Amino acid sequence: YAAFSERQRQYDAALRLLKKLEDLYGQDLNSMVAQARIYDFLGDYRAARKEYKAILHAGYRVPPDLKKCILSKTGNN
């Protein structure tokens, strides 16, 4: 439902749902990317950059194209 909310541009609702998911089950790569992407849409670049950096340091296997995108958004290209 968070992905649906994001597609409907209901970003606050999507973030609340992702937070609830995180509280119940912990973080995963998909939810972290979704949060960062939503922060980007909202113009909260500081929060987005923080989330992108957390993805790189979380130990997940990040696909090369996603890693390249994250590095460009964090200024580490």
Side-chain angles (χ1 to χ4, degrees):
Y1 193 73
F4 173 78
S5 294
E6 182 183 351
R7 282 192 298 273
Q8 297 301 311
R9 297 184 182 182
Q10 298 172 345
Y11 300 123
D12 291 333
L15 285 173
R16 280 194 308 274
L17 290 164
L18 288 168
K19 175 68 174 140
K20 191 172 195 171
L21 178 71
E22 180 183 327
D23 291 344
L24 292 171
Y25 303 105
Q27 290 183 321
D28 70 359
L29 179 61
N30 292 326
S31 64
M32 292 175 79
V33 169
Q35 285 177 346
R37 186 177 52 239
I38 291 169
Y39 288 135
D40 264 340
F41 286 135
L42 291 173
D44 189 348
Y45 303 116
R46 175 182 266 177
R49 195 172 13 253
K50 181 179 176 186
E51 196 67 30
Y52 285 130
K53 286 182 179 183
I55 292 167
L56 294 177
H57 298 291
Y60 294 113
R61 185 170 179 269
V62 180
D65 57 334
L66 177 57
K67 187 173 184 176
K68 182 178 177 181
C69 177
I70 290 172
L71 290 173
S72 72
K73 290 187 178 285
T74 60
N76 294 335
N77 28 343

